[in-house]
Amino acid sequence: KAVVSTQSGHYGRGSHDGQYFATITGDNLSIYSTPSMKLLDNKKISVQNIRDFSWCPCENWIAYWQSENKNIPARVTIMDVPSCEPLSAKNLFNVSNIEIFWQNSGNYLAVKVDRTIKNKKEGTENVFEIFRLREKDIPVENFEIKSKVMSLSWDPKGPRFAVIQGEQGRTDVSFFKIGEKILPIGKTLQNKKCNCIKWSPLGQYCVLAGLNNISFDGVLEFWDIGGDAPTLMNEASHFMVTNITWDPTGRYVCSSNTYGGHSVENGYNMWNFQGSKVFEASLEGFIQFQWRPRPPSLLKEIHTKEIKKNMKSYTRDFEIKDKLSQSKASKELIEKRRAVYDEFMTYRRKKEKDLEVLKLQYSELRTEVVDEEYVEETVEFFMKEEVEPASKE
């Protein structure tokens, strides 16, 4: 994705597939086609009081928001590119700031609205507008969180998201699921030493971590959000942790302490998704950790869902195959051992017969029977001779 600074201080951002590039110039949204870098339809899109925009991670959709102006309310708009037709829009009132959070699969868009409260000491409140982009007419619903919201993060695959709320040093974490309504998943996790939530690329599992903050003691909590309530799988720590990076398969996660964050105890730890440490490395001057990228799956999403739905039946089939494979291996090992044993016994019987023939030949050579006697003999060997000089009288 291309990122270029513009004269207005905003930065250009590219679409997920690199076909388009957009930036804010004054009260205009400028979208360019690549690689020609010509304006889409040879003109800028006039958007009064535009403040920010964000591309969808998997579709050529762009969401932007406009601030209030006198009697004109603030507005959030989702627009299709290149048609520039609005897909959905929502007017908002008493807005001081807006943040946009796309889900990786493009199924949902969360808009965090900081709303000014009149005649109250708190000053602002946090309201979330959730757009259901894959549903008919793109319904929008909202819910409110009373305490200050620090960040929101989506489950990349499922209809779940997490919110960190509270003040620095005392934070709570809440998980929500989108069904017919937006409902909390279990109870809020209170007093957590974290300032970020890192989801597995496959969803369901996440790590709560306090990055770049010594007061958090590098606490790492590994959670499973797949049930009716969050389940803590393991709690660990990585002192002075600065980064959390999941591998593309969602099986492993790396916590690292880079030289850019701290100049001591640089290195990385490798964990499985359940929070068990599998590897540890200390590297002086360690700068960056990256996983090898993986190609996209050849399966379509509908096939992936079908496999997950029928996973139990597939598991039974694989267990049967595994047992057959193990029994086959055991049978082959037993047959191999039996063959070695039979070969040895055949050799032994042959030698026993040869011994009987030798005994017979030996007895024929002897004319009389002689009783065998054992005679004890003492044999002396010369080992060493030492000569001592005669003593003087």
Side-chain angles (χ1 to χ4, degrees):
K1 295 182 179 180
V3 179
V4 178
S5 177
T6 63
Q7 293 179 354
S8 62
H10 293 278
Y11 287 85
R13 301 166 192 159
S15 61
H16 77 286
D17 56 5
Q19 290 189 38
Y20 304 100
F21 174 85
T23 186
I24 296 174
T25 53
D27 285 340
N28 299 293
L29 178 63
S30 302
I31 302 178
Y32 301 85
S33 299
T34 61
S36 65
M37 294 305 292
K38 293 183 179 179
L39 274 171
L40 193 64
D41 295 332
N42 295 315
K43 62 181 180 180
K44 299 177 181 180
I45 302 171
S46 178
V47 183
Q48 292 295 319
N49 302 312
I50 185 170
R51 290 294 177 262
D52 198 9
F53 69 92
S54 179
W55 287 97
C56 174
C58 60
E59 303 282 354
N60 284 330
W61 299 335
I62 193 168
Y64 60 86
W65 74 278
Q66 304 159 257
S67 62
E68 291 181 88
N69 184 18
K70 297 180 180 180
N71 295 327
I72 301 176
R75 186 177 178 87
V76 174
T77 303
I78 304 172
M79 183 176 69
D80 176 68
V81 177
S83 68
C84 296
E85 293 293 329
L87 301 174
S88 182
K90 181 70 181 287
N91 291 335
L92 303 165
F93 299 89
N94 301 324
V95 174
S96 60
N97 188 46
I98 286 178
E99 292 182 67
I100 298 171
F101 301 91
W102 284 99
Q103 191 213 26
N104 288 30
S105 301
N107 296 330
Y108 306 100
L109 174 69
V111 175
K112 173 178 170 285
V113 182
D114 296 338
R115 181 168 291 164
T116 304
I117 304 176
K118 297 181 179 180
N119 302 323
K120 285 191 178 183
K121 295 181 180 180
E122 288 82 357
T124 60
E125 65 179 0
N126 300 128
V127 178
F128 285 89
E129 304 287 341
I130 306 296
F131 293 76
R132 301 172 180 247
L133 291 147
R134 306 291 185 184
E135 297 183 19
K136 185 178 180 181
D137 298 327
I138 310 183
V140 184
E141 56 190 302
N142 63 67
F143 72 99
E144 178 185 345
I145 295 181
K146 295 181 179 180
S147 58
K148 180 182 178 181
V149 174
M150 299 173 61
S151 68
L152 179 146
S153 58
W154 283 101
D155 180 329
K157 299 294 183 181
R160 294 176 285 258
F161 62 92
V163 172
I164 300 178
Q165 59 202 68
E167 300 293 337
Q168 192 70 27
R170 188 189 182 283
T171 55
D172 301 334
V173 178
S174 301
F175 295 94
F176 298 88
K177 184 173 183 179
I178 300 177
E180 293 183 1
K181 296 182 179 180
I182 300 174
L183 298 173
I185 303 175
K187 296 181 179 179
T188 297
L189 310 178
Q190 297 183 340
N191 297 327
K192 292 300 173 182
K193 294 183 177 181
C194 72
N195 56 13
C196 80
I197 300 173
K198 296 291 185 178
W199 288 89
S200 162
L202 301 184
Q204 183 174 339
Y205 304 103
C206 67
V207 177
L208 274 58
L211 303 183
N212 297 297
N213 194 320
I214 297 178
S215 64
F216 287 153
D217 301 324
V219 173
L220 305 175
E221 294 186 0
F222 297 79
W223 289 85
D224 179 2
I225 319 298
D228 295 331
T231 302
L232 178 62
M233 297 184 292
N234 194 25
E235 182 176 341
S237 65
H238 184 172
F239 186 59
M240 294 184 175
V241 62
T242 58
N243 302 93
I244 299 291
T245 313
W246 281 89
D247 92 299
T249 67
R251 295 166 59 192
Y252 300 98
V253 60
C254 174
S255 62
S256 58
N257 174 15
T258 60
Y259 186 78
H262 305 284
S263 58
V264 295
E265 299 191 24
N266 300 138
Y268 65 92
N269 294 343
M270 199 81 68
W271 316 81
N272 66 13
F273 73 98
Q274 294 174 319
S276 298
K277 186 187 292 186
V278 296
F279 186 74
E280 181 178 357
S282 297
L283 300 171
E284 185 177 353
F286 175 66
I287 299 296
Q288 187 182 45
F289 180 95
Q290 285 188 335
W291 289 97
R292 177 186 176 186
R294 292 174 64 90
S297 174
L298 298 177
L299 294 174
K300 295 182 178 179
E301 185 175 355
I302 186 173
H303 296 147
T304 303
K305 289 182 178 179
E306 184 180 351
I307 291 172
K308 288 183 177 180
K309 182 179 179 181
N310 301 319
M311 184 59 71
K312 290 185 178 179
S313 62
Y314 292 134
T315 301
R316 288 194 295 268
D317 293 340
F318 285 128
E319 286 177 351
I320 293 172
K321 290 181 180 179
D322 288 342
K323 288 181 179 179
L324 290 174
S325 178
Q326 291 173 1
S327 62
K328 182 179 179 181
S330 300
K331 183 178 179 181
E332 291 176 352
L333 181 62
I334 292 172
E335 290 177 351
K336 184 177 180 180
R337 289 177 177 175
R338 173 60 64 182
V340 172
Y341 175 79
D342 292 342
E343 183 180 357
F344 170 76
M345 294 304 296
T346 301
Y347 174 79
R348 179 176 176 174
R349 286 190 290 269
K350 180 178 180 298
K351 291 304 177 183
E352 286 176 346
K353 290 180 180 180
D354 292 344
L355 181 60
E356 292 296 328
V357 172
L358 287 174
K359 283 183 179 180
L360 183 61
Q361 292 176 351
Y362 178 69
S363 63
E364 291 176 352
L365 290 174
R366 302 177 68 174
T367 56
E368 56 183 17
V369 178
V370 179
D371 295 332
E372 295 182 352
E373 295 181 357
Y374 293 96
V375 179
E376 183 177 348
E377 295 182 357
T378 302
V379 181
E380 295 182 355
F381 294 92
F382 177 78
M383 300 296 294
K384 184 178 181 182
E385 181 180 7
E386 293 183 358
V387 179
E388 296 183 1
S391 59
K392 295 180 180 180
E393 296 182 354

